[in-house]
Amino acid sequence: MKKIFVVVLGLISTGIVWGQEIDVVPAPVEVKYTGGVANVENELGVVIGSRAFTQAVKKLDPAIKEEAYRLTLTDKGYRIEAMTEIGVIRAKSTLSQLGEGTPACVIFDYPRFTYRGFMLDISRHFRTKDFIIKQIEALATLKINVLHLHLTDAAGWRIQIDRYPRLTSQAAWRVGETWQEWCDRGYRYSTEGAPDAYGGYLTKDDVREILAAADKYAITVIPEIEMPGHSQEVVRAYPEVGCYPTSDDLCPGKEATFEFLEGVLDEIIDLFPSHYIHIGGDEAGKADWHNCPDCQARMKAEGLSSVEELQSYLVRRIETYLRSRGRDLIGWDEILEGGLSPNATVMSWRGTQGGIDAMKEGHDAIMTPGGFCYFDKAQDAPVFEPKAIGGCLPFGRVASYDPEAGIPEECKPYLKGLQANLWHEYIPEPYHTEYMTYPRIAALAETGWSPAGEKKALRERAIKWADSLRDGSLTGKTFKVFDLRAERGQRPESLVPAEHLARGKKVIYTTPWHPSYVAGAELALTDGRRGDWSFADGAWQGFLSDVDVTVDLGSVMPVHYAGATFLSEPGPWIFLPRKVTILLSEDGVAFREAAVIDKEVSGEPDGFVTYGSVLSGQARYVRIKADRYKEWLFVDEIIVN
């Protein structure tokens, strides 16, 4: 960190005019205005470890003290006090957002959480060294202090490993420029230099440059090497570490697998100085483990009763190896299954329960629930946004997340922070990566740094920060940024309760809803709530089957219309029904067909489609039958008039 002062000061010369308040993101803990206008160009001094500042931070957690600073701004210039050089860097991140007209003041500041991360998936679509460094420079202005690089996955291995050269000569290259094209073409791999090869990888020299750039801003880079799932590219290049040549997952029954993993991790550890090494651990298929003789022999020898315990065996063994090399294991919350390794840290992505369970057992946890922290979702109405994996995660929802909400008091000491994740299945271009990141990451940064309950005028501050990123005045480089000013907001239909004859009436389910998408349970389809842009907003009810439900109106009455709105989002495998049939009955036993609505759904774009019909007749019972096209059906409300 010898060069930190020169590098960060380079940001100050392109400072932003913020008006007559300290209007930065994230908001500082404390600002005391002293009158007059500050000179933010002239450094008056940097003092590390002074007696006065040591006294000021004596009650703070030691890890938080490391990032604390006091920035005194006067008409003569600015002065920084900190306990470490990292605190100086954080002070200069604040300075990078200040410009002409900044009021004279004293800023006393420190983080709420010690871990404030951003995960960049460069496996599904490769990103170069220069692009990654550019993002580091932007993240630094928000005091993000961890960059998690998802380096390996089935779609491509993205880092040089000298001991296993086929990982980069073969596993880093695929047939199909986009992830979807690769899937559609049968998950085929290629070789470096072949005409049909798409991919790339970071050389070790590339990584060293990335690490040097991150070090200038006191950002830790955590590498992720996926195991045992998401490893199809590995077993294609090195079939001897799979259960069978056509397996998708690594084989934990073979010693060759552990020799391979330890060999890879040795080179990763030698390259990356981070305390954590991320091993993934999520979504392992395990199907072949049931029949693989090596896996079954391993289970018998180790006294394991399930394939979940076999995965835990692999995780524990890798964790022991990492500890022998002076590092700690971190993984997605699936590493809880079958028993958690003693010193492992959990990233809770399937909601927050995994993190809570880990903390109750005395393990550190980082919160990254998909409903608040997955930036691969559209940030506004999906029908108007570039294609995404599914769902909608607007800026306001990111900002609304509080990692401490619902966390038992005794667990909070183990809560280290939070992280945003940007998976790249549907993000083929570098500019699209930036568009999906900014300004949402500003909302997460505010939560991670600023005191709980703050966020005053966050949207306005984030817009100003994003403007400076877009026009290049913040870092000297221009970025593609989502325009928060033009945000459409919630789906209009979701804002007004639906008034109709069926509202509040009993619904009889012949086919059940899926337990992951309950919405309002028995009343979900007649509660007057229509869904927002996201299928996971709590109003859409999901079915992994045909839909067959009947509304009991309570008495026989004239029925002139019946219908329901279905959601189409092919990214998460949500499709419109092939056909919807509306049936009427007076006694709930004998139903007569009142309408059939057929639609061509195979090429249906993202959006919302109402299947409804004008009717003529009387009924007490209105039955809606929706024939599934494939995978999921989502419906928000059955309207009867």
Side-chain angles (χ1 to χ4, degrees):
M1 295 193 188
K2 305 278 187 186
K3 301 178 182 177
I4 60 172
F5 304 107
V6 173
V7 175
V8 183
L9 271 174
L11 297 177
I12 299 171
S13 63
T14 56
I16 314 148
V17 178
W18 292 97
Q20 298 304 307
E21 292 184 358
I22 299 300
D23 215 8
V24 300
V25 185
V29 172
E30 179 183 290
V31 181
K32 293 183 178 179
Y33 295 99
T34 55
V37 177
N39 178 345
V40 299
E41 303 291 335
N42 186 35
E43 181 186 299
L44 298 177
V46 174
V47 180
I48 295 178
S50 69
R51 180 178 299 178
F53 193 72
T54 300
Q55 183 67 18
V57 300
K58 68 178 182 179
K59 294 183 179 180
L60 298 181
D61 177 274
I64 288 176
K65 284 182 186 179
E66 190 176 62
E67 296 190 87
Y69 67 90
R70 182 157 55 202
L71 176 61
T72 303
L73 297 160
T74 72
D75 60 348
K76 300 291 193 299
Y78 65 88
R79 181 173 183 267
I80 297 171
E81 299 168 82
M83 294 299 296
T84 68
E85 291 183 343
I86 296 175
V88 176
I89 292 173
R90 302 294 178 250
K92 293 189 175 183
S93 291
T94 298
L95 275 168
S96 72
Q97 297 187 38
L98 302 177
E100 184 180 346
T102 297
C105 61
V106 178
I107 300 173
F108 179 55
D109 206 8
Y110 53 85
R112 178 185 178 190
F113 295 109
T114 56
Y115 188 108
R116 307 174 304 281
F118 177 67
M119 189 284 296
L120 184 64
D121 169 20
I122 67 169
S123 169
R124 274 57 175 259
H125 288 96
F126 178 60
R127 297 292 179 259
T128 65
K129 166 199 68 180
D130 291 340
F131 179 83
I132 294 169
I133 291 173
K134 181 185 178 188
Q135 308 318 306
I136 286 172
E137 294 167 354
L139 296 172
T141 69
L142 295 170
K143 304 180 178 68
I144 294 293
N145 68 343
V146 176
L147 175 63
H148 168 182
L149 284 180
H150 186 74
L151 293 166
T152 73
D153 213 296
W157 183 281
R158 304 300 182 201
I159 187 165
Q160 177 185 350
I161 301 294
D162 295 331
R163 183 172 174 180
Y164 299 106
R166 293 203 297 274
L167 291 174
T168 45
S169 66
Q170 296 179 24
W173 307 92
R174 67 179 187 236
V175 179
E177 184 170 337
T178 70
W179 178 84
Q180 190 64 57
E181 288 171 353
W182 175 66
C183 296
D184 293 343
R185 295 179 184 182
Y187 307 97
R188 292 163 51 209
Y189 296 94
S190 187
T191 56
E192 187 169 8
D196 61 357
Y198 170 83
Y201 59 90
L202 299 174
T203 67
K204 289 186 174 181
D205 283 342
D206 288 338
V207 172
R208 292 184 185 102
E209 288 189 51
I210 290 168
L211 293 171
D215 190 54
K216 294 172 184 177
Y217 300 104
I219 292 176
T220 299
V221 180
I222 295 177
E224 179 179 355
I225 305 297
E226 279 272 15
M227 62 184 80
H230 292 277
S231 299
Q232 182 178 337
E233 86 286 16
V234 174
V235 296
R236 292 298 178 275
Y238 292 92
E240 61 269 26
V241 300
C243 293
Y244 309 105
T246 56
S247 292
D248 287 341
D249 294 337
L250 299 169
C251 177
K254 295 177 178 176
E255 281 303 305
T257 300
F258 291 95
E259 179 184 346
F260 171 85
L261 293 174
E262 290 171 6
V264 169
L265 290 172
D266 281 343
E267 296 192 32
I268 293 295
I269 289 167
D270 290 344
L271 192 57
F272 290 87
S274 60
H275 176 68
Y276 285 131
I277 302 294
H278 205 299
I279 60 103
D282 62 312
E283 300 177 333
K286 310 184 187 77
D288 291 335
W289 297 0
H290 292 280
N291 302 311
C292 170
D294 295 301
C295 288
Q296 292 302 308
R298 176 79 72 189
M299 290 174 67
K300 183 177 180 180
E302 299 294 334
L304 307 176
S305 60
S306 68
V307 291
E308 285 72 31
E309 289 185 6
L310 182 58
Q311 176 167 339
S312 180
Y313 168 83
L314 180 146
V315 173
R316 287 173 181 268
R317 186 161 165 181
I318 294 299
E319 193 260 353
T320 299
Y321 186 75
L322 290 174
R323 293 281 289 178
S324 74
R325 294 293 315 272
R327 306 301 177 88
D328 275 344
L329 178 149
I330 187 170
W332 305 108
D333 55 53
E334 283 95 332
I335 65 174
L336 286 161
E337 297 169 5
L340 189 59
S341 304
N343 296 289
T345 295
V346 168
M347 275 190 171
S348 191
W349 74 276
R350 298 177 299 178
T352 59
Q353 192 59 49
I356 293 172
D357 291 344
M359 290 186 284
K360 285 181 176 177
E361 296 179 16
H363 297 274
D364 289 345
I366 295 156
M367 291 302 189
T368 178
F372 296 95
C373 299
Y374 268 44
F375 285 11
D376 50 344
K377 299 176 182 177
Q379 54 205 314
D380 201 0
V383 292
F384 301 107
E385 288 296 299
K387 185 176 182 179
I389 200 166
C392 179
L393 181 63
F395 180 91
R397 183 164 174 80
V398 179
S400 73
Y401 178 55
D402 182 356
E404 291 186 302
I407 305 297
E409 205 61 38
E410 66 273 16
C411 292
K412 289 181 180 178
Y414 300 101
L415 176 58
K416 297 306 173 186
L418 73 167
Q419 176 171 291
N421 298 324
L422 184 54
W423 303 102
H424 271 60
E425 287 93 335
Y426 293 94
I427 306 178
E429 301 295 339
Y431 74 84
H432 195 181
T433 298
E434 295 178 351
Y435 180 84
M436 298 295 275
T437 304
Y438 311 111
R440 284 189 289 193
I441 191 64
L444 184 126
E446 177 99 351
T447 299
W449 182 278
S450 305
E454 287 297 312
K455 303 184 181 175
K456 181 181 177 182
L458 172 58
R459 178 177 292 267
E460 290 72 21
R461 286 184 283 120
I463 287 172
K464 292 178 181 178
W465 174 83
D467 285 346
S468 69
L469 201 63
R470 182 188 293 108
D471 65 20
S473 62
L474 184 59
T475 70
K477 299 172 183 177
T478 59
F479 289 74
K480 177 70 173 178
V481 177
F482 171 74
D483 186 359
L484 198 55
R485 290 185 182 90
E487 184 182 44
R488 288 178 170 84
Q490 292 178 261
R491 181 178 171 227
E493 292 88 342
S494 71
L495 300 174
V496 181
E499 297 291 347
H500 55 96
L501 293 178
R503 184 172 179 186
K505 303 300 183 182
K506 178 182 178 181
V507 180
I508 302 163
Y509 286 79
T510 304
T511 55
W513 61 76
H514 193 277
S516 296
Y517 300 99
V518 174
E522 292 89 350
L523 292 177
L525 302 182
T526 56
D527 61 2
R529 277 186 76 196
R530 285 176 289 191
D532 203 347
W533 302 117
S534 175
F535 64 88
D537 69 351
W540 291 98
Q541 193 167 66
F543 296 78
L544 202 51
S545 66
D546 293 342
V547 175
D548 188 350
V549 296
T550 302
V551 179
D552 181 356
L553 298 175
S555 62
V556 177
M557 61 184 68
V559 175
H560 300 297
Y561 172 87
T565 299
F566 290 84
L567 175 62
S568 172
E569 283 197 46
W573 293 91
I574 300 169
F575 296 93
L576 298 174
R578 287 184 179 275
K579 178 178 69 175
V580 170
T581 305
I582 302 171
L583 305 102
L584 302 178
S585 172
E586 295 182 1
D587 60 5
V589 177
F591 283 87
R592 62 188 181 277
E593 189 176 279
V596 177
I597 304 103
D598 280 304
K599 290 185 183 291
E600 174 58 49
V601 299
S602 60
E604 191 69 50
D606 292 2
F608 310 86
V609 177
T610 298
Y611 288 66
S613 177
V614 174
L615 306 174
S616 177
Q618 295 200 111
R620 170 175 173 172
Y621 298 93
V622 178
R623 186 174 183 181
I624 303 286
K625 295 177 67 176
D627 296 348
R628 183 171 58 149
Y629 169 56
K630 56 183 176 180
E631 302 301 329
W632 291 93
L633 285 173
F634 275 81
V635 59
D636 63 351
E637 183 82 356
I638 294 174
I639 305 290
V640 179
N641 282 312

